[in-house]
Each structure stands twice: as C-alpha cells, then as structure tokens.
Amino acid sequence: MSEIKPHIAFAEGWGIWSDEGSWISARFPSPQLLPLNTSLPHSIDNALLAQKSQLLSLSPPEKRNRYLAVACRTDIPPTTAMDAYLRLHLLSHRLLKPNQVNLDDIFTVLPTVAFTHRGVFTLNELDKELKKTDSEVHIYSIDKFPALCDYVVPTGVRIADARRVRLGAYLGEGTTVMHEGFVNYNAGTEGPNMVEGRISAGVFVAAHSDLGGGCSIMGTLSGGNQTQISVGQHCLIGANAGIGISLGNGCTIEAGLYLTAGAIVSVLDEHNHPQKTVKAKDLSQHDNLLFRRHSLNGRIECLPNPHPIALNPQLH
Amino acid sequence: MSEIKPHIAFAEGWGIWSDEGSWISARFPSPQLLPLNTSLPHSIDNALLAQKSQLLSLSPPEKRNRYLAVACRTDIPPTTAMDAYLRLHLLSHRLLKPNQVNLDDIFTVLPTVAFTHRGVFTLNELDKELKKTDSEVHIYSIDKFPALCDYVVPTGVRIADARRVRLGAYLGEGTTVMHEGFVNYNAGTEGPNMVEGRISAGVFVAAHSDLGGGCSIMGTLSGGNQTQISVGQHCLIGANAGIGISLGNGCTIEAGLYLTAGAIVSVLDEHNHPQKTVKAKDLSQHDNLLFRRHSLNGRIECLPNPHPIALNPQLH
Amino acid sequence: MSEIKPHIAFAEGWGIWSDEGSWISARFPSPQLLPLNTSLPHSIDNALLAQKSQLLSLSPPEKRNRYLAVACRTDIPPTTAMDAYLRLHLLSHRLLKPNQVNLDDIFTVLPTVAFTHRGVFTLNELDKELKKTDSEVHIYSIDKFPALCDYVVPTGVRIADARRVRLGAYLGEGTTVMHEGFVNYNAGTEGPNMVEGRISAGVFVAAHSDLGGGCSIMGTLSGGNQTQISVGQHCLIGANAGIGISLGNGCTIEAGLYLTAGAIVSVLDEHNHPQKTVKAKDLSQHDNLLFRRHSLNGRIECLPNPHPIALNPQLH
C-alpha cells in the first residue's frame, strides 16, 4: 500500500469503555483529515504519530460512555481499536475513498463484540448478561465491524436494510442500497448508484452503475481471489451475475452470468462474428463491452455494448 | 394504468408529525375500500377526491403521534405521503392486489426517513439526535418504505426476517417468506407459497408456487427491464435461478438457470427431440414447461414439465 | 432416524408463558445430555420419558417469564414447544451435531410467534398491541424459530447479521457467518469455516471449507430435493454457485455453477482429456474434484482439483 498519501487524521467523539478495561467502539461525528504538520489539540504529538496512533480519554474515568480524542497517520497500519474506528469513519464520512487509508491488520486490532439493542458489549459482558433471569438482549451482530448507520448517516442515500452496510463503507451521494445489497468496509460507490448486489472489501464502483439483485463482485479476503476489482461508470451487472475482473465504463454483464478471471471468452465484432478468444482478465477495465452466455451453445461472448445502462432518476 | 377500477379508500389511524411540520409515517389498522358515492365521515368531500386526496388531523396539534383520517381515489396518483401510506396499507391488508391501485410517482410523495428502534425520524431530526452525547439510535433503514410488519401483520403468514418485506406487499394466507426471501411494495403472493427468492415491485405470484433460495424475478424499476412479470400456480423457480418472462401454471426453472426474455431456447418434445428454437419471451405465460440448461452442450432447453412442484404443507 | 443414539436431555431455564396460557419460547443457558438411567431432579420420571417429554414450571404462576425444567428423550419426536426448544439448544450448545436428535414434526409443535424488540408475543397478543394508540412494536420476525444469538452465543464465532442464523444451528469454533450467510436449524459447521452462502436444514459442513457469497446448498424441506447433503473439509463453493450433491474433501465448485444431482458431467483426467460422462450424483462424496462449466462449449466438467481452498486465518 505504498501509494497511500500520508495525512493526519484526528477526531473527538464518544467511545465505549468496557468493564474489562478496553475501548470497544466509538462514534466520531466530525473526523478531520489534516496535513502532516498540523498542530493538534490535547497535546497529541505529531512526531509520535509516525510510529503509532494516540488516544486521550477526556472524560471522568468512571463512565462507560467516554469522550475521547484520537489521532493517527493514515499511511501506517492501525495500532488500536479506536484508531481503526477513526479510519473507518474517514471512509464513511467521505474524507477518503476505499484503498486510500492503510487498514493492514485491522482484523487483529478490532475486537469481536456484540452489537445489541442495548448497546455494545464485550463477549464476556454479554455472557454475564445472558445468565441473568429475565434479561433480554436482542443481538444485531457479533462482529468486528458495526453497521454504518448507527455511526454515520451519509447525506443523500437510501439504505433499505441497515445491517448490510458496514462502517467503513463509502457511499456517494445518490446511492441506493436495496435489501439485497451489501457494502463491506473499505468499499463503496461514487454515487449515484443502485446497489442490489454485494460490494466486497477493496472494491469501488463508479457513478451511474447498477449492481443487480444478488450479483457478486469477487473480493480478496476469502475465496482465493488475489486481484482487487473496480467497476467503471454506466455499468450493469445483471441479477445473480458476478465478476472476477474489473470493468471499464459502459459494460454490461448479462443476468446470471458469472465471469471469472480465467474464463475463456469469445470476442465478437458488431456483426456478431467471432474475432478471437481471450481470457476474461485480458478484458479487465476495457470500456463498452457486453458479456453474455450464448443460450444455444453455452459460449461466453463479449461484444460491443449496444445499450449501456441508465439509472432511473426517481430512485436516487 | 387505465385498467384500475376507481374506489374510494378511507382510513383512520396514527400518524407521526415531525418537528419540521410534516407527516412522515402512519399506521392504519382498518383501512376501507368503498364505492365512489359513499358518504364519508369528518366532512371529507367526495367531489374533491377526484382531484386529490384529503387528510384531517384529529388530534390536538402539540403531539408527535396524531390521530388522523385520510381518503383518496385509488385510480389517480397519490398526492401526499399519507395518501401513499394509505394505498400501501390497502395492499398489505389484502383489500387490493398488486397493480390494482395507482402508485404513480410514489417515490416523489414519500419522504426518505429513518426507521429506528426509537421510532421514525426525518433525516434532520436524526442528525440532531446523533450529535448528542450518549445518544443511542439503532437504525433499521433509511428509506421511503417501511417494513411491513411494523404496520400490518397479515394472518397466516411466516416472515423469517421482517426487514425484507416492505409495507405494500400483499402476502396471501399461507405464505412463508424465508430469510433470503424479499417482497417489494406492490408485489406479492396469492398464498400458499414458499418465498426464498426476490419478488420485485409489480410482480404477483399465484398459489402453490415455490421461489427457491436467492432466485430473482426481474422488476421494472431498475436494471432496464420494461415488461411486468407474473408467475402462475404450481411453479418452481430453482435456487439461484431467475426469470425475465412470465410463467404460466406448472412451470419449473432449473436451479441456477437465469432465463432472460431474449434468450433463444430450444423447444423439445416429450422424447427430448428438438422441435424448434424460439425466444424465451414467446413462451411467456405458457403452462407446464420445464426450462433447463443442457449440461453437456450449454443449450437452454424447454420441454413438457414431468413433475410440477407441490408445496410441503408443514411449512405453510 | 433410527440411527439416533438415545439420550436424556435436561435443562432448566426461563420460559415465556403467554396470556393465552401456553409456553411460547424458552432460553436454556446450560442444557445437559445424560445417559438414559440418570436420576433427574424435580421428580422427572425417566420411564415416562420414553413416551413423552416432561415440563415443570418452577415459578409462581402469575409471571410471564417463568423458571422451568424440561426433560426429553432425544430419539423420540418432540411433543411440546418447550421440548423442541430444548432440542434446538442442544444443537446450538454443541452437545449434539445436526441429525443427531429427533426433530420429526417440529413444525407442528412449535407455535408461530412474533419476535419483537419488546420480547416474544403470540399473534393474538401482538394484534392487541398493534391496536393500541401510540403502541410501537418493532418486529424482527414472525416465525417458529428464533434467531440463535438471542438464546445462545457460541464461543469463537462471528455472525454479521444475527437474524440469519436460527436457534438450532450448530456453529463450530472459528465459524464466521457473513451478512449473506444463512444457517438453518439442524444445520451447521464443524469450524473453522467461512459462511457467505446458505446452509439448509440437515446440512453439515466440515472444517476449513468456504461457502462463497450467495451460494446455495439444496435442502430437503422445500423445492423437491430428497437427499440430505453434506460438505467435506477444504471445500470451496464459489459465489452464487450451488450443489445438489454431497462433496467429499478438497472439492471446489466454480463461482456461478449450480451442480444439480441430475446434471451429466464430463469427467476429465489431469491432462484435461474427457474420460467418461456420469451423473453428478455418482460423484457425490468423492474427494479432490473441481467442477466448472467450460466457457466455450457450456459443458460441465469435473477434474482433479489442483488447488483446494485454504481459509484466511485472520477471519476466523
């Protein structure tokens, strides 16, 4: 991740201090991205930030909800849970786009906690709670990442099922995430976009593209794929389709077609005459392509896209 | 939508009046569908209803939750948010089926609001709330449409994940919507039905049909499809399959096959002999067809369906 | 289910007694699995257990949340709702694996109830609640099975969306269920596993296997499939893929390929030469196979798997 531009990130906000003496979650309403030489409040030391993030609790120590200040350098890996929460806020507040902040080892620094209708608990705290008579706790998730909207509500978006967008998602103005949509941390949309499919960590989708219901974009965290994927403008990935390559602008993937990087594709000209066969990955980031599987011979074909998608403006 | 029969719809219920001076949501326990000449209470004017809906607040003005009465003509487009909520209730209370009420421009009249564990908020109200220290708001969705069950609980249904059925869904008696199922507004099932796939706006599924896990029915709101789809009785759309055409009765779509309207299909007789090739859309609404992709030559085939599905009665 | 080993199951816990005089839900923090001849507390009669389960209310009768004791024989079908809840707890507490306890007719003994942010209600209770002015009830689901995590929180797991794992799921240590994952009752994972697809009732997935986003494993409750499926170790079912057969160890299903039991598959040797064609079900439980659809001729092929999946240890 050597291409990440170094900044200082700084925020004040409310953190949750667990009974076990650890910070387990935090909400930062107005994080800031600052030049490296900015002088920071609360005696945060810029020189030290080059090695590790800093955190100051600004509340009396007896409280569970505490006011705090955190600062970090965006080009080095996060070193604490609160540092990681700050970085996720930078993305969701649209101060940085996916892949513009170092998130190496974020699974190591973030604790697995319970997000419940009564707040955030460590798993030990939850265990005690569940042993009480009559105690009722409704658990939303047991995870390292919270749901976006309980921390940041981006302007100009609709999110039909808030559990399916993680904090750290970047949702541009005019993004609609339907019930079947999903956006991981460090992933997102430029906006406007329709999202009814799944955007994996590291993936960014440019404006005016439509991800059909249940479509899949391969990520790099699990499943064996190594290559980070992006999607250009005015693309349509059809319902239940999927991609293992990046798309340029104006591309369409037929509903139900999963285009893996290794698939051999027959390239047609505008008269539907086969010109050559290539691996799908050799068409990565090319513009104005339509991919489909021929329904009589099963061949995956790629041809000039006659009708790139246009979004329905009523929905964004 | 000239085929919509004109009725008067009338309901009393509880609405939410926002701090900004607008109605943002309402629950109508017993909406009524009435002949045009019915004399309505609360001095609602039948003649005026031909042009626009009417709303009367029946509560003292200081309250956030207010008792109200709303009336509209079902054949003209909704003119206010409360009018739109009334129409959605008509569908979910099973007084009208999908496409029997005018919902033109519903995205324009419905405000985007936050549905939270503490009630419904405008986005400005939510923003203020999130800026308070210690304020905890768990957001279910940021959307124009609420979840069905917080407003209407239809008899004889199971809904495994209530976030995935919108108000305005019509769920017939005996419908089971599993976790992966989804039903949009102005869409639904005659019942009994198994729903583990996605029913788009405008789509109606007849009795005894089974939508397999993750299956897709193309809608007309986004993605470029223009033709409204319906599904007959005793159909099975297999898991991860999809359709871009309407199905008659007794049809089966093989798991994993996405049948787009433009796909060329090889029609076989009962001895598996190819008879002709046709576009899938030419088979729209035909009965007793099985669609599959031949596993050795990739051809999409259509043949007489030997075994139409029967539901498991234990599940409905 | 003659192969189920008979045990006595016993638990004390907190049940909910409805206004209509019925038990509708229960949480058992420490259920026990005991030899048949164990002497049980609260005068539970071992001899009687061979015919039917027993339940004792240990609380004063005026309360809604009541302390209770339940015992059953694991090899006979459940006879009451509380008996069924006990069996589901046995699975989720990892005392028994899927298919090791008799769950015949569980849909008959479990009532359909409303799981809400204010607790569990019968549908009649809910109806009364919804008729009150100002009453706000947020409904999570209307179903026979509750969400796992409100009853049991297994150690060493992450569950990104708690609504999508039912009580009765068996999640082994190191299981991560992502937002698109789903685990039914009487189904689960040995652990560690990545679950971004759907595990149907009766299905068990062995350690180190990865279910890709939106993938489908055919169940036997609906959709017409009769054969119970299992998945071996180090398998990968690609995103949006699916299986209608069981997999041995080290198998991979290409993203987007739905392998039904009846599909004819071309078996290749390690030089990609076709050897024979067989029905997919004849390859059920075989090890080290890669299944893919050839992208130029549409043929489903099976060949020796060159690279069985390895999980990303950071995620488990």
Side-chain angles (χ1 to χ4, degrees), chain A residues 250-275:
Chain A
C251 293
T252 294
I253 309 283
E254 181 191 43
L257 173 63
Y258 208 113
L259 188 70
T260 58
I264 314 289
V265 173
S266 175
V267 178
L268 311 183
D269 65 17
E270 64 271 29
H271 308 295
N272 282 347
H273 295 147
Q275 302 298 303

mmCIF file of all heavy atoms in Angstrom, chain A residues 250-275:
data_model
loop_
_atom_site.group_PDB
_atom_site.id
_atom_site.type_symbol
_atom_site.label_atom_id
_atom_site.label_comp_id
_atom_site.label_asym_id
_atom_site.label_seq_id
_atom_site.Cartn_x
_atom_site.Cartn_y
_atom_site.Cartn_z
ATOM 1 N N GLY A 250 -19.340 1.654 -19.140
ATOM 2 C CA GLY A 250 -20.336 1.234 -20.121
ATOM 3 C C GLY A 250 -20.406 -0.257 -20.385
ATOM 4 O O GLY A 250 -20.801 -0.672 -21.473
ATOM 5 N N CYS A 251 -20.058 -1.062 -19.402
ATOM 6 C CA CYS A 251 -20.103 -2.520 -19.594
ATOM 7 C C CYS A 251 -21.378 -3.106 -18.994
ATOM 8 O O CYS A 251 -21.927 -2.585 -18.023
ATOM 9 C CB CYS A 251 -18.900 -3.181 -18.936
ATOM 10 S SG CYS A 251 -17.346 -2.753 -19.742
ATOM 11 N N THR A 252 -21.828 -4.200 -19.576
ATOM 12 C CA THR A 252 -22.993 -4.925 -19.068
ATOM 13 C C THR A 252 -22.643 -6.401 -18.955
ATOM 14 O O THR A 252 -22.049 -6.978 -19.869
ATOM 15 C CB THR A 252 -24.190 -4.747 -20.026
ATOM 16 O OG1 THR A 252 -24.595 -3.371 -20.028
ATOM 17 C CG2 THR A 252 -25.384 -5.595 -19.591
ATOM 18 N N ILE A 253 -23.017 -6.984 -17.830
ATOM 19 C CA ILE A 253 -22.901 -8.434 -17.647
ATOM 20 C C ILE A 253 -24.323 -8.977 -17.619
ATOM 21 O O ILE A 253 -25.145 -8.553 -16.800
ATOM 22 C CB ILE A 253 -22.212 -8.786 -16.308
ATOM 23 C CG1 ILE A 253 -20.903 -8.027 -16.126
ATOM 24 C CG2 ILE A 253 -22.014 -10.292 -16.186
ATOM 25 C CD1 ILE A 253 -19.753 -8.547 -16.901
ATOM 26 N N GLU A 254 -24.608 -9.877 -18.493
ATOM 27 C CA GLU A 254 -25.948 -10.478 -18.573
ATOM 28 C C GLU A 254 -26.354 -11.094 -17.233
ATOM 29 O O GLU A 254 -25.528 -11.676 -16.527
ATOM 30 C CB GLU A 254 -25.898 -11.577 -19.639
ATOM 31 C CG GLU A 254 -27.200 -12.302 -19.870
ATOM 32 C CD GLU A 254 -27.009 -13.549 -20.732
ATOM 33 O OE1 GLU A 254 -26.029 -14.301 -20.494
ATOM 34 O OE2 GLU A 254 -27.837 -13.769 -21.623
ATOM 35 N N ALA A 255 -27.638 -10.987 -16.906
ATOM 36 C CA ALA A 255 -28.147 -11.600 -15.682
ATOM 37 C C ALA A 255 -27.752 -13.070 -15.639
ATOM 38 O O ALA A 255 -27.866 -13.785 -16.636
ATOM 39 C CB ALA A 255 -29.668 -11.469 -15.612
ATOM 40 N N GLY A 256 -27.262 -13.505 -14.488
ATOM 41 C CA GLY A 256 -26.971 -14.915 -14.286
ATOM 42 C C GLY A 256 -25.603 -15.379 -14.756
ATOM 43 O O GLY A 256 -25.223 -16.522 -14.497
ATOM 44 N N LEU A 257 -24.833 -14.511 -15.410
ATOM 45 C CA LEU A 257 -23.512 -14.926 -15.905
ATOM 46 C C LEU A 257 -22.427 -14.589 -14.892
ATOM 47 O O LEU A 257 -22.246 -13.423 -14.533
ATOM 48 C CB LEU A 257 -23.188 -14.222 -17.228
ATOM 49 C CG LEU A 257 -21.758 -14.446 -17.754
ATOM 50 C CD1 LEU A 257 -21.492 -15.905 -18.082
ATOM 51 C CD2 LEU A 257 -21.487 -13.566 -18.967
ATOM 52 N N TYR A 258 -21.676 -15.578 -14.447
ATOM 53 C CA TYR A 258 -20.535 -15.294 -13.572
ATOM 54 C C TYR A 258 -19.269 -15.316 -14.419
ATOM 55 O O TYR A 258 -18.874 -16.359 -14.930
ATOM 56 C CB TYR A 258 -20.431 -16.301 -12.430
ATOM 57 C CG TYR A 258 -19.768 -15.649 -11.232
ATOM 58 C CD1 TYR A 258 -20.471 -15.416 -10.062
ATOM 59 C CD2 TYR A 258 -18.450 -15.202 -11.297
ATOM 60 C CE1 TYR A 258 -19.892 -14.772 -8.983
ATOM 61 C CE2 TYR A 258 -17.855 -14.563 -10.225
ATOM 62 C CZ TYR A 258 -18.583 -14.349 -9.068
ATOM 63 O OH TYR A 258 -17.999 -13.703 -8.008
ATOM 64 N N LEU A 259 -18.648 -14.164 -14.559
ATOM 65 C CA LEU A 259 -17.457 -14.024 -15.392
ATOM 66 C C LEU A 259 -16.218 -14.098 -14.509
ATOM 67 O O LEU A 259 -15.795 -13.105 -13.923
ATOM 68 C CB LEU A 259 -17.514 -12.669 -16.115
ATOM 69 C CG LEU A 259 -16.436 -12.428 -17.176
ATOM 70 C CD1 LEU A 259 -16.669 -13.333 -18.390
ATOM 71 C CD2 LEU A 259 -16.426 -10.963 -17.609
ATOM 72 N N THR A 260 -15.625 -15.274 -14.406
ATOM 73 C CA THR A 260 -14.407 -15.423 -13.616
ATOM 74 C C THR A 260 -13.216 -14.922 -14.437
ATOM 75 O O THR A 260 -13.271 -14.841 -15.662
ATOM 76 C CB THR A 260 -14.171 -16.893 -13.225
ATOM 77 O OG1 THR A 260 -14.099 -17.669 -14.424
ATOM 78 C CG2 THR A 260 -15.312 -17.427 -12.367
ATOM 79 N N ALA A 261 -12.130 -14.620 -13.751
ATOM 80 C CA ALA A 261 -10.953 -14.059 -14.438
ATOM 81 C C ALA A 261 -10.365 -15.042 -15.442
ATOM 82 O O ALA A 261 -9.845 -14.649 -16.494
ATOM 83 C CB ALA A 261 -9.901 -13.663 -13.407
ATOM 84 N N GLY A 262 -10.473 -16.338 -15.149
ATOM 85 C CA GLY A 262 -9.846 -17.338 -16.005
ATOM 86 C C GLY A 262 -10.712 -17.837 -17.148
ATOM 87 O O GLY A 262 -10.257 -18.631 -17.978
ATOM 88 N N ALA A 263 -11.968 -17.371 -17.210
ATOM 89 C CA ALA A 263 -12.857 -17.859 -18.272
ATOM 90 C C ALA A 263 -12.323 -17.456 -19.639
ATOM 91 O O ALA A 263 -11.842 -16.333 -19.824
ATOM 92 C CB ALA A 263 -14.262 -17.290 -18.074
ATOM 93 N N ILE A 264 -12.400 -18.367 -20.617
ATOM 94 C CA ILE A 264 -12.030 -18.059 -21.997
ATOM 95 C C ILE A 264 -13.263 -17.482 -22.670
ATOM 96 O O ILE A 264 -14.338 -18.077 -22.621
ATOM 97 C CB ILE A 264 -11.597 -19.323 -22.767
ATOM 98 C CG1 ILE A 264 -10.633 -20.164 -21.937
ATOM 99 C CG2 ILE A 264 -11.007 -18.947 -24.128
ATOM 100 C CD1 ILE A 264 -9.279 -19.597 -21.769
ATOM 101 N N VAL A 265 -13.099 -16.313 -23.268
ATOM 102 C CA VAL A 265 -14.231 -15.572 -23.801
ATOM 103 C C VAL A 265 -14.065 -15.435 -25.316
ATOM 104 O O VAL A 265 -12.965 -15.175 -25.804
ATOM 105 C CB VAL A 265 -14.286 -14.174 -23.147
ATOM 106 C CG1 VAL A 265 -15.340 -13.300 -23.788
ATOM 107 C CG2 VAL A 265 -14.524 -14.306 -21.649
ATOM 108 N N SER A 266 -15.147 -15.610 -26.042
ATOM 109 C CA SER A 266 -15.121 -15.403 -27.493
ATOM 110 C C SER A 266 -15.482 -13.943 -27.782
ATOM 111 O O SER A 266 -16.573 -13.488 -27.430
ATOM 112 C CB SER A 266 -16.146 -16.345 -28.149
ATOM 113 O OG SER A 266 -16.231 -16.082 -29.531
ATOM 114 N N VAL A 267 -14.553 -13.224 -28.402
ATOM 115 C CA VAL A 267 -14.771 -11.810 -28.679
ATOM 116 C C VAL A 267 -15.418 -11.670 -30.049
ATOM 117 O O VAL A 267 -14.883 -12.153 -31.051
ATOM 118 C CB VAL A 267 -13.443 -11.034 -28.629
ATOM 119 C CG1 VAL A 267 -13.673 -9.554 -28.969
ATOM 120 C CG2 VAL A 267 -12.795 -11.174 -27.264
ATOM 121 N N LEU A 268 -16.581 -11.030 -30.103
ATOM 122 C CA LEU A 268 -17.317 -10.849 -31.350
ATOM 123 C C LEU A 268 -17.190 -9.408 -31.820
ATOM 124 O O LEU A 268 -17.026 -8.492 -31.009
ATOM 125 C CB LEU A 268 -18.806 -11.154 -31.153
ATOM 126 C CG LEU A 268 -19.207 -12.452 -30.445
ATOM 127 C CD1 LEU A 268 -20.732 -12.590 -30.427
ATOM 128 C CD2 LEU A 268 -18.574 -13.660 -31.125
ATOM 129 N N ASP A 269 -17.327 -9.204 -33.141
ATOM 130 C CA ASP A 269 -17.427 -7.830 -33.634
ATOM 131 C C ASP A 269 -18.886 -7.392 -33.637
ATOM 132 O O ASP A 269 -19.768 -8.121 -33.192
ATOM 133 C CB ASP A 269 -16.783 -7.698 -35.015
ATOM 134 C CG ASP A 269 -17.516 -8.507 -36.070
ATOM 135 O OD1 ASP A 269 -18.692 -8.905 -35.832
ATOM 136 O OD2 ASP A 269 -16.930 -8.774 -37.140
ATOM 137 N N GLU A 270 -19.138 -6.194 -34.180
ATOM 138 C CA GLU A 270 -20.512 -5.665 -34.106
ATOM 139 C C GLU A 270 -21.499 -6.447 -34.965
ATOM 140 O O GLU A 270 -22.717 -6.281 -34.829
ATOM 141 C CB GLU A 270 -20.540 -4.161 -34.425
ATOM 142 C CG GLU A 270 -20.122 -3.805 -35.832
ATOM 143 C CD GLU A 270 -18.612 -3.579 -35.962
ATOM 144 O OE1 GLU A 270 -17.827 -4.190 -35.183
ATOM 145 O OE2 GLU A 270 -18.216 -2.813 -36.848
ATOM 146 N N HIS A 271 -20.984 -7.322 -35.850
ATOM 147 C CA HIS A 271 -21.873 -8.192 -36.632
ATOM 148 C C HIS A 271 -22.005 -9.580 -35.998
ATOM 149 O O HIS A 271 -22.460 -10.513 -36.650
ATOM 150 C CB HIS A 271 -21.348 -8.322 -38.061
ATOM 151 C CG HIS A 271 -21.074 -6.996 -38.702
ATOM 152 N ND1 HIS A 271 -22.066 -6.084 -38.982
ATOM 153 C CD2 HIS A 271 -19.907 -6.416 -39.080
ATOM 154 C CE1 HIS A 271 -21.528 -4.991 -39.517
ATOM 155 N NE2 HIS A 271 -20.221 -5.162 -39.584
ATOM 156 N N ASN A 272 -21.579 -9.696 -34.756
ATOM 157 C CA ASN A 272 -21.639 -10.964 -34.026
ATOM 158 C C ASN A 272 -20.714 -12.028 -34.605
ATOM 159 O O ASN A 272 -20.931 -13.221 -34.399
ATOM 160 C CB ASN A 272 -23.081 -11.510 -33.991
ATOM 161 C CG ASN A 272 -23.917 -10.777 -32.956
ATOM 162 O OD1 ASN A 272 -23.377 -10.052 -32.120
ATOM 163 N ND2 ASN A 272 -25.223 -10.969 -33.014
ATOM 164 N N HIS A 273 -19.671 -11.615 -35.319
ATOM 165 C CA HIS A 273 -18.705 -12.594 -35.840
ATOM 166 C C HIS A 273 -17.561 -12.752 -34.852
ATOM 167 O O HIS A 273 -16.951 -11.765 -34.438
ATOM 168 C CB HIS A 273 -18.154 -12.139 -37.197
ATOM 169 C CG HIS A 273 -19.201 -12.093 -38.251
ATOM 170 N ND1 HIS A 273 -19.194 -11.175 -39.277
ATOM 171 C CD2 HIS A 273 -20.317 -12.839 -38.431
ATOM 172 C CE1 HIS A 273 -20.250 -11.352 -40.043
ATOM 173 N NE2 HIS A 273 -20.947 -12.367 -39.563
ATOM 174 N N PRO A 274 -17.251 -13.985 -34.487
ATOM 175 C CA PRO A 274 -16.128 -14.222 -33.569
ATOM 176 C C PRO A 274 -14.815 -13.747 -34.178
ATOM 177 O O PRO A 274 -14.529 -14.030 -35.351
ATOM 178 C CB PRO A 274 -16.120 -15.741 -33.396
ATOM 179 C CG PRO A 274 -17.485 -16.202 -33.794
ATOM 180 C CD PRO A 274 -17.952 -15.234 -34.833
ATOM 181 N N GLN A 275 -14.039 -13.007 -33.403
ATOM 182 C CA GLN A 275 -12.751 -12.485 -33.851
ATOM 183 C C GLN A 275 -11.580 -13.256 -33.247
ATOM 184 O O GLN A 275 -10.582 -13.507 -33.899
ATOM 185 C CB GLN A 275 -12.612 -11.006 -33.469
ATOM 186 C CG GLN A 275 -13.708 -10.131 -34.048
ATOM 187 C CD GLN A 275 -13.694 -10.154 -35.574
ATOM 188 O OE1 GLN A 275 -12.691 -9.843 -36.208
ATOM 189 N NE2 GLN A 275 -14.807 -10.598 -36.174
#
